[in-house]
Amino acid sequence: MHAAQLSYQKASVLLQSVSKAIAPPLTTALELWKQHSDSCLSTSLPALDKLLRGGLPCGAITEVTGPSGCGKTQLCLMLSVLATLPKKLGGLDSSVIYIDTESAFSAERLVEIAQSRFPECFSCKERVLQMAGRVHVFRELTCQDVLNRLERLEEDIISAGAGLLILDSVASVVRKEFDTTLSGNMMHRSNLLGHKATTIKYLAHQFNIPVVLTNQITTHVGPLGSVLSSPMDSGFVTAALGNMWSHCVNTRFIVQYVDEHQRQILIAKSPVAPFAVLNYTIQKQGICIDGNDSQETLYKGTDPGLQPIRVRTGFNLSTTVHDKTQVLNLGHCSSTS
Protein backbone atom coordinates (compact mmCIF):
# COMPACT_ATOMS: atom_id res chain seq x y z
CA MET A 1 0.00 0.00 0.00
CA HIS A 2 2.79 2.38 0.90
CA ALA A 3 4.75 1.63 -2.29
CA ALA A 4 1.66 2.19 -4.47
CA GLN A 5 0.54 5.14 -2.35
CA LEU A 6 -2.96 3.69 -2.11
CA SER A 7 -5.35 3.42 0.76
CA TYR A 8 -6.29 0.01 2.14
CA GLN A 9 -9.68 0.17 0.41
CA LYS A 10 -8.22 1.08 -2.99
CA ALA A 11 -5.47 -1.53 -2.62
CA SER A 12 -8.12 -4.20 -1.92
CA VAL A 13 -10.10 -3.17 -5.02
CA LEU A 14 -6.91 -3.30 -7.12
CA LEU A 15 -6.01 -6.74 -5.74
CA GLN A 16 -9.47 -8.10 -6.60
CA SER A 17 -9.27 -6.67 -10.14
CA VAL A 18 -5.84 -8.21 -10.77
CA SER A 19 -6.96 -11.57 -9.32
CA LYS A 20 -9.99 -11.67 -11.61
CA ALA A 21 -7.83 -10.83 -14.63
CA ILE A 22 -5.20 -13.53 -14.10
CA ALA A 23 -7.24 -16.29 -12.41
CA PRO A 24 -8.31 -19.14 -14.73
CA PRO A 25 -12.02 -19.01 -15.53
CA LEU A 26 -14.39 -21.52 -14.00
CA THR A 27 -15.42 -24.33 -16.33
CA THR A 28 -18.58 -26.41 -15.98
CA ALA A 29 -18.86 -30.12 -16.66
CA LEU A 30 -21.29 -29.30 -19.49
CA GLU A 31 -18.67 -27.13 -21.22
CA LEU A 32 -16.04 -29.88 -20.90
CA TRP A 33 -18.49 -32.48 -22.27
CA LYS A 34 -19.28 -30.33 -25.30
CA GLN A 35 -15.61 -29.63 -25.83
CA HIS A 36 -14.74 -33.34 -25.86
CA SER A 37 -17.58 -34.26 -28.21
CA ASP A 38 -16.55 -31.55 -30.64
CA SER A 39 -12.77 -31.95 -30.51
CA CYS A 40 -11.41 -35.40 -31.23
CA LEU A 41 -9.03 -36.70 -33.87
CA SER A 42 -10.53 -39.78 -35.50
CA THR A 43 -8.10 -42.69 -35.83
CA SER A 44 -10.02 -43.90 -38.93
CA LEU A 45 -10.40 -47.20 -37.03
CA PRO A 46 -14.15 -47.38 -36.24
CA ALA A 47 -13.83 -49.97 -33.47
CA LEU A 48 -11.17 -47.94 -31.65
CA ASP A 49 -12.98 -44.62 -32.18
CA LYS A 50 -16.16 -46.15 -30.77
CA LEU A 51 -14.36 -47.19 -27.58
CA LEU A 52 -12.73 -43.75 -27.27
CA ARG A 53 -16.07 -42.00 -27.93
CA GLY A 54 -14.90 -40.25 -31.05
CA GLY A 55 -11.15 -40.64 -31.25
CA LEU A 56 -8.03 -39.19 -29.64
CA PRO A 57 -9.05 -36.35 -27.32
CA CYS A 58 -7.76 -32.85 -27.96
CA GLY A 59 -6.02 -31.12 -25.06
CA ALA A 60 -4.73 -34.45 -23.71
CA ILE A 61 -1.74 -36.79 -23.98
CA THR A 62 -2.09 -40.20 -25.62
CA GLU A 63 0.80 -42.64 -25.26
CA VAL A 64 1.48 -45.70 -27.42
CA THR A 65 3.88 -48.17 -25.85
CA GLY A 66 5.10 -51.59 -26.91
CA PRO A 67 8.01 -53.59 -28.33
CA SER A 68 9.83 -52.73 -31.52
CA GLY A 69 8.06 -53.71 -34.73
CA CYS A 70 4.51 -53.52 -33.37
CA GLY A 71 3.61 -50.42 -35.41
CA LYS A 72 4.04 -47.47 -33.04
CA THR A 73 5.69 -45.29 -35.70
CA GLN A 74 3.25 -46.61 -38.31
CA LEU A 75 0.37 -45.34 -36.17
CA CYS A 76 2.09 -41.96 -35.78
CA LEU A 77 2.52 -41.64 -39.55
CA MET A 78 -1.11 -42.62 -40.10
CA LEU A 79 -2.30 -40.02 -37.57
CA SER A 80 -0.12 -37.41 -39.29
CA VAL A 81 -1.94 -38.03 -42.56
CA LEU A 82 -5.32 -37.96 -40.80
CA ALA A 83 -4.63 -34.60 -39.14
CA THR A 84 -4.06 -32.95 -42.53
CA LEU A 85 -7.38 -34.18 -43.97
CA PRO A 86 -10.35 -31.81 -44.27
CA LYS A 87 -12.72 -31.83 -41.30
CA LYS A 88 -15.54 -33.23 -43.45
CA LEU A 89 -13.39 -36.36 -43.88
CA GLY A 90 -12.66 -36.70 -40.17
CA GLY A 91 -9.39 -34.78 -40.12
CA LEU A 92 -8.32 -31.57 -38.43
CA ASP A 93 -7.39 -29.67 -41.61
CA SER A 94 -4.17 -28.66 -39.87
CA SER A 95 -0.42 -29.11 -39.89
CA VAL A 96 1.53 -31.57 -37.74
CA ILE A 97 4.57 -31.10 -35.52
CA TYR A 98 6.52 -34.37 -35.52
CA ILE A 99 9.52 -34.68 -33.17
CA ASP A 100 11.63 -37.69 -34.18
CA THR A 101 14.17 -38.90 -31.61
CA GLU A 102 14.97 -42.27 -33.21
CA SER A 103 15.52 -41.24 -36.85
CA ALA A 104 12.56 -43.49 -37.64
CA PHE A 105 10.42 -41.03 -39.61
CA SER A 106 9.95 -42.08 -43.24
CA ALA A 107 8.53 -39.60 -45.74
CA GLU A 108 8.13 -42.41 -48.27
CA ARG A 109 6.03 -44.44 -45.86
CA LEU A 110 3.96 -41.35 -45.01
CA VAL A 111 3.10 -40.89 -48.67
CA GLU A 112 2.41 -44.61 -49.14
CA ILE A 113 -0.07 -44.64 -46.24
CA ALA A 114 -1.79 -41.52 -47.55
CA GLN A 115 -2.20 -42.86 -51.08
CA SER A 116 -3.24 -46.36 -49.96
CA ARG A 117 -5.63 -45.38 -47.17
CA PHE A 118 -7.24 -42.37 -48.86
CA PRO A 119 -6.83 -42.88 -52.62
CA GLU A 120 -9.70 -40.51 -53.41
CA CYS A 121 -7.96 -37.66 -51.53
CA PHE A 122 -4.42 -38.24 -52.74
CA SER A 123 -4.98 -39.33 -56.31
CA CYS A 124 -3.00 -36.41 -57.70
CA LYS A 125 0.59 -35.42 -56.95
CA GLU A 126 -0.36 -31.88 -55.96
CA ARG A 127 -2.46 -33.06 -53.00
CA VAL A 128 0.26 -35.46 -51.88
CA LEU A 129 2.82 -32.66 -51.90
CA GLN A 130 0.45 -30.39 -50.01
CA MET A 131 -0.08 -33.04 -47.33
CA ALA A 132 3.64 -33.78 -46.98
CA GLY A 133 4.36 -30.05 -46.74
CA ARG A 134 2.10 -29.76 -43.70
CA VAL A 135 4.06 -32.33 -41.66
CA HIS A 136 6.91 -30.47 -39.95
CA VAL A 137 9.63 -32.87 -38.76
CA PHE A 138 12.19 -31.99 -36.09
CA ARG A 139 14.96 -34.52 -35.48
CA GLU A 140 16.17 -34.16 -31.89
CA LEU A 141 18.62 -36.79 -30.67
CA THR A 142 19.47 -35.71 -27.10
CA CYS A 143 17.43 -35.02 -23.98
CA GLN A 144 18.41 -31.37 -23.93
CA ASP A 145 17.57 -30.92 -27.62
CA VAL A 146 14.10 -32.42 -27.06
CA LEU A 147 13.51 -30.22 -24.02
CA ASN A 148 14.70 -27.09 -25.85
CA ARG A 149 12.42 -27.89 -28.78
CA LEU A 150 9.41 -28.37 -26.51
CA GLU A 151 10.07 -25.12 -24.66
CA ARG A 152 10.04 -23.06 -27.87
CA LEU A 153 7.31 -25.02 -29.60
CA GLU A 154 4.57 -22.45 -28.99
CA GLU A 155 5.82 -20.26 -31.83
CA ASP A 156 6.13 -23.25 -34.16
CA ILE A 157 2.57 -24.41 -33.40
CA ILE A 158 1.20 -20.93 -34.08
CA SER A 159 3.20 -20.26 -37.25
CA ALA A 160 2.55 -23.72 -38.73
CA GLY A 161 -1.10 -23.86 -37.66
CA ALA A 162 -0.43 -27.25 -36.09
CA GLY A 163 -3.33 -29.31 -34.78
CA LEU A 164 -1.36 -32.40 -33.76
CA LEU A 165 1.92 -32.88 -31.84
CA ILE A 166 3.79 -36.19 -32.04
CA LEU A 167 6.89 -37.19 -30.05
CA ASP A 168 8.38 -40.45 -31.29
CA SER A 169 9.73 -41.49 -28.87
CA VAL A 170 9.76 -39.99 -25.41
CA ALA A 171 11.84 -42.84 -23.96
CA SER A 172 14.60 -43.19 -26.53
CA VAL A 173 16.93 -40.34 -25.59
CA VAL A 174 16.16 -40.59 -21.86
CA ARG A 175 17.15 -44.25 -21.62
CA LYS A 176 20.31 -43.68 -23.67
CA GLU A 177 21.60 -40.87 -21.49
CA PHE A 178 20.61 -41.96 -17.99
CA ASP A 179 22.05 -45.11 -16.43
CA THR A 180 19.66 -45.55 -13.51
CA THR A 181 22.08 -47.91 -11.74
CA LEU A 182 24.37 -44.94 -11.03
CA SER A 183 23.74 -42.85 -7.93
CA GLY A 184 21.70 -39.70 -8.56
CA ASN A 185 20.75 -40.52 -12.14
CA MET A 186 17.25 -41.70 -11.24
CA MET A 187 16.49 -38.37 -9.55
CA HIS A 188 17.82 -36.37 -12.51
CA ARG A 189 15.84 -38.52 -14.94
CA SER A 190 12.64 -38.10 -12.92
CA ASN A 191 13.12 -34.32 -12.83
CA LEU A 192 13.68 -34.22 -16.60
CA LEU A 193 10.61 -36.35 -17.32
CA GLY A 194 8.54 -34.22 -14.98
CA HIS A 195 9.65 -31.07 -16.81
CA LYS A 196 8.83 -32.66 -20.18
CA ALA A 197 5.41 -33.80 -18.99
CA THR A 198 4.54 -30.35 -17.62
CA THR A 199 5.57 -28.66 -20.88
CA ILE A 200 3.68 -31.14 -23.06
CA LYS A 201 0.54 -30.88 -20.93
CA TYR A 202 0.69 -27.10 -21.17
CA LEU A 203 0.97 -27.22 -24.97
CA ALA A 204 -1.89 -29.71 -25.26
CA HIS A 205 -4.16 -27.64 -23.04
CA GLN A 206 -3.13 -24.19 -24.29
CA PHE A 207 -3.74 -25.02 -27.96
CA ASN A 208 -6.39 -27.70 -27.39
CA ILE A 209 -4.56 -30.20 -29.60
CA PRO A 210 -4.05 -33.96 -29.24
CA VAL A 211 -0.51 -34.98 -28.28
CA VAL A 212 0.71 -38.47 -29.18
CA LEU A 213 3.84 -39.96 -27.59
CA THR A 214 5.48 -43.33 -28.13
CA ASN A 215 7.21 -45.25 -25.37
CA GLN A 216 9.41 -48.32 -25.14
CA ILE A 217 9.33 -51.41 -22.92
CA THR A 218 11.39 -52.60 -19.99
CA THR A 219 11.57 -55.62 -17.71
CA HIS A 220 9.94 -55.19 -14.33
CA VAL A 221 11.66 -57.39 -11.77
CA GLY A 222 9.31 -59.16 -9.38
CA PRO A 223 6.05 -61.14 -9.67
CA LEU A 224 3.07 -59.61 -11.38
CA GLY A 225 0.79 -60.40 -8.47
CA SER A 226 -1.96 -61.65 -10.77
CA VAL A 227 -3.88 -64.88 -11.03
CA LEU A 228 -2.25 -65.24 -14.45
CA SER A 229 1.30 -65.34 -13.06
CA SER A 230 2.97 -68.50 -11.89
CA PRO A 231 5.21 -69.03 -8.85
CA MET A 232 8.19 -69.28 -11.24
CA ASP A 233 7.72 -65.73 -12.56
CA SER A 234 10.60 -63.48 -11.63
CA GLY A 235 9.57 -60.50 -13.77
CA PHE A 236 7.60 -59.32 -16.75
CA VAL A 237 7.80 -56.86 -19.62
CA THR A 238 5.98 -53.56 -19.15
CA ALA A 239 6.06 -49.92 -20.28
CA ALA A 240 9.32 -48.04 -19.75
CA LEU A 241 9.92 -44.85 -17.71
CA GLY A 242 8.26 -46.09 -14.54
CA ASN A 243 5.00 -45.72 -12.71
CA MET A 244 5.35 -41.99 -12.14
CA TRP A 245 5.43 -41.35 -15.88
CA SER A 246 2.34 -43.53 -16.41
CA HIS A 247 0.38 -41.02 -14.33
CA CYS A 248 1.49 -38.17 -16.62
CA VAL A 249 -0.36 -39.51 -19.67
CA ASN A 250 -4.14 -39.34 -20.03
CA THR A 251 -4.58 -42.33 -22.33
CA ARG A 252 -2.24 -45.30 -22.76
CA PHE A 253 -2.36 -47.79 -25.63
CA ILE A 254 -0.24 -50.92 -25.36
CA VAL A 255 0.64 -52.65 -28.62
CA GLN A 256 1.91 -56.22 -28.45
CA TYR A 257 2.45 -59.36 -30.48
CA VAL A 258 -0.06 -62.19 -30.93
CA ASP A 259 2.02 -64.06 -33.52
CA GLU A 260 4.37 -63.19 -36.38
CA HIS A 261 1.54 -61.59 -38.36
CA GLN A 262 -1.09 -60.41 -35.92
CA ARG A 263 -0.79 -57.86 -33.14
CA GLN A 264 -3.03 -56.43 -30.43
CA ILE A 265 -3.76 -52.96 -29.15
CA LEU A 266 -4.86 -52.70 -25.53
CA ILE A 267 -6.55 -49.65 -24.08
CA ALA A 268 -4.74 -49.88 -20.76
CA LYS A 269 -5.69 -46.43 -19.47
CA SER A 270 -8.38 -43.98 -20.53
CA PRO A 271 -10.72 -41.52 -18.79
CA VAL A 272 -13.58 -42.56 -21.09
CA ALA A 273 -12.88 -46.03 -22.53
CA PRO A 274 -13.04 -49.40 -20.75
CA PHE A 275 -10.11 -51.79 -20.74
CA ALA A 276 -10.36 -53.40 -24.18
CA VAL A 277 -8.33 -55.39 -26.68
CA LEU A 278 -8.40 -55.13 -30.49
CA ASN A 279 -6.49 -57.33 -32.92
CA TYR A 280 -4.82 -55.63 -35.88
CA THR A 281 -2.34 -56.11 -38.69
CA ILE A 282 0.01 -53.68 -40.41
CA GLN A 283 -0.79 -53.30 -44.10
CA LYS A 284 0.25 -51.02 -46.92
CA GLN A 285 -2.42 -48.54 -45.80
CA GLY A 286 -1.21 -48.60 -42.17
CA ILE A 287 -2.97 -50.10 -39.15
CA CYS A 288 -5.98 -52.30 -39.95
CA ILE A 289 -8.28 -53.57 -37.18
CA ASP A 290 -9.54 -57.15 -37.55
CA GLY A 291 -13.33 -56.95 -37.23
CA ASN A 292 -15.45 -54.07 -35.98
CA ASP A 293 -15.80 -54.84 -32.28
CA SER A 294 -13.48 -55.25 -29.32
CA GLN A 295 -12.38 -58.82 -28.70
CA GLU A 296 -13.24 -61.06 -25.77
CA THR A 297 -10.03 -61.53 -23.83
CA LEU A 298 -8.58 -63.22 -20.76
CA TYR A 299 -6.47 -60.16 -19.98
CA LYS A 300 -7.46 -58.13 -17.00
CA GLY A 301 -6.80 -54.45 -16.48
CA THR A 302 -4.24 -53.53 -13.84
CA ASP A 303 -2.08 -50.57 -12.94
CA PRO A 304 -1.24 -49.04 -16.37
CA GLY A 305 2.37 -48.70 -15.25
CA LEU A 306 2.58 -52.45 -14.60
CA GLN A 307 0.44 -53.88 -17.42
CA PRO A 308 2.35 -56.90 -18.83
CA ILE A 309 3.21 -56.78 -22.55
CA ARG A 310 3.69 -59.65 -24.98
CA VAL A 311 6.96 -59.54 -26.89
CA ARG A 312 8.25 -61.55 -29.81
CA THR A 313 10.93 -64.01 -28.73
CA GLY A 314 11.32 -65.76 -32.07
CA PHE A 315 9.59 -66.90 -35.25
CA ASN A 316 8.87 -69.94 -37.40
CA LEU A 317 11.09 -70.51 -40.41
CA SER A 318 9.86 -72.78 -43.20
CA THR A 319 12.56 -74.57 -45.22
CA THR A 320 12.30 -77.04 -48.09
CA VAL A 321 14.66 -80.02 -48.10
CA HIS A 322 14.35 -82.64 -50.84
CA ASP A 323 10.80 -81.52 -51.70
CA LYS A 324 9.74 -81.79 -48.04
CA THR A 325 8.77 -78.75 -46.01
CA GLN A 326 10.23 -78.53 -42.52
CA VAL A 327 9.11 -75.96 -39.96
CA LEU A 328 11.80 -74.85 -37.57
CA ASN A 329 10.36 -73.38 -34.39
CA LEU A 330 12.85 -70.69 -33.40
CA GLY A 331 10.74 -69.19 -30.67
CA HIS A 332 7.33 -67.82 -29.87
CA CYS A 333 5.42 -64.73 -28.89
CA SER A 334 5.03 -64.52 -25.16
CA SER A 335 4.74 -62.46 -22.05
CA THR A 336 5.63 -63.69 -18.63
CA SER A 337 2.10 -63.11 -17.49
Side-chain angles (χ1 to χ4, degrees):
M1 290 186 296
H2 295 292
Q5 296 183 347
L6 296 173
S7 66
Y8 176 79
Q9 184 178 5
K10 290 184 177 180
S12 297
V13 172
L14 177 61
L15 180 61
Q16 291 177 5
S17 299
V18 173
S19 298
K20 288 180 180 179
I22 64 175
L26 293 176
T27 305
T28 66
L30 177 60
E31 291 171 328
L32 291 175
W33 177 70
K34 288 182 177 179
Q35 186 181 51
H36 174 80
S37 60
D38 295 336
S39 57
C40 286
L41 171 60
S42 170
T43 65
S44 77
L45 304 170
L48 184 57
D49 284 345
K50 180 180 178 181
L51 290 167
L52 296 173
R53 301 185 185 180
L56 304 185
C58 293
I61 300 175
T62 300
E63 181 199 74
V64 184
T65 186
S68 176
C70 267
K72 300 187 297 292
T73 298
Q74 301 296 313
L75 180 59
C76 289
L77 294 174
M78 193 173 83
L79 292 172
S80 297
V81 174
L82 287 163
T84 66
L85 289 176
K87 292 184 178 181
K88 64 181 181 180
L89 296 178
L92 298 175
D93 195 17
S94 69
S95 295
V96 179
I97 299 290
Y98 196 116
I99 302 176
D100 178 18
T101 69
E102 296 184 322
S103 299
F105 180 87
S106 170
E108 291 79 10
R109 180 62 175 141
L110 179 79
V111 171
E112 181 181 48
I113 290 174
Q115 293 179 322
S116 302
R117 198 172 195 90
F118 305 102
E120 69 283 355
C121 290
F122 301 106
S123 57
C124 65
K125 185 177 180 180
E126 182 181 354
R127 290 187 178 180
V128 173
L129 294 176
Q130 184 181 22
M131 178 277 297
R134 301 181 79 179
V135 181
H136 303 266
V137 182
F138 298 99
R139 188 157 291 168
E140 310 292 357
L141 303 179
T142 69
C143 286
Q144 193 58 51
D145 287 344
V146 172
L147 192 56
N148 291 342
R149 174 60 59 188
L150 290 173
E151 289 177 342
R152 60 176 185 267
L153 209 56
E154 281 184 278
E155 184 178 341
D156 295 322
I157 292 174
I158 294 170
S159 61
L164 171 66
L165 170 61
I166 293 175
L167 175 54
D168 182 23
S169 87
V170 68
S172 176
V173 290
V174 174
R175 300 181 79 191
K176 287 177 185 176
E177 295 184 28
F178 289 93
D179 182 356
T180 55
T181 62
L182 299 178
S183 177
N185 268 9
M186 179 61 79
M187 182 182 68
H188 292 309
R189 192 183 85 159
S190 296
N191 290 339
L192 176 70
L193 287 172
H195 192 174
K196 280 186 179 181
T198 300
T199 305
I200 294 170
K201 280 180 177 288
Y202 166 79
L203 294 171
H205 177 75
Q206 184 70 17
F207 295 98
N208 194 35
I209 60 175
V211 176
V212 178
L213 315 174
T214 64
N215 193 1
Q216 298 176 344
I217 58 173
T218 189
T219 301
H220 180 89
V221 179
L224 177 60
S226 164
V227 294
L228 296 177
S229 59
S230 69
M232 297 301 293
D233 287 339
S234 60
F236 57 95
V237 175
T238 189
L241 302 183
N243 202 40
M244 185 197 77
W245 173 259
S246 73
H247 293 292
C248 295
V249 301
N250 303 102
T251 302
R252 168 170 279 179
F253 298 150
I254 290 176
V255 290
Q256 62 181 10
Y257 286 98
V258 177
D259 52 40
E260 56 265 38
H261 301 294
Q262 197 174 55
R263 297 161 175 82
Q264 287 181 332
I265 181 167
L266 285 70
I267 303 179
K269 177 184 179 182
S270 170
V272 297
F275 182 87
V277 179
L278 294 165
N279 291 337
Y280 70 93
T281 55
I282 301 175
Q283 305 291 341
K284 187 177 181 181
Q285 62 268 37
I287 305 294
C288 296
I289 297 290
D290 300 339
N292 295 319
D293 299 311
S294 57
Q295 307 289 318
E296 291 289 336
T297 176
L298 295 177
Y299 291 105
K300 292 185 178 181
T302 182
D303 185 331
L306 298 175
Q307 182 69 43
I309 301 174
R310 280 182 174 177
V311 297
R312 182 172 58 184
T313 58
F315 55 90
N316 291 330
L317 176 64
S318 296
T319 59
T320 302
V321 181
H322 300 301
D323 298 327
K324 293 183 179 180
T325 300
Q326 295 180 335
V327 178
L328 306 180
N329 187 358
L330 301 182
H332 58 283
C333 294
S334 67
S335 70
T336 55
S337 54

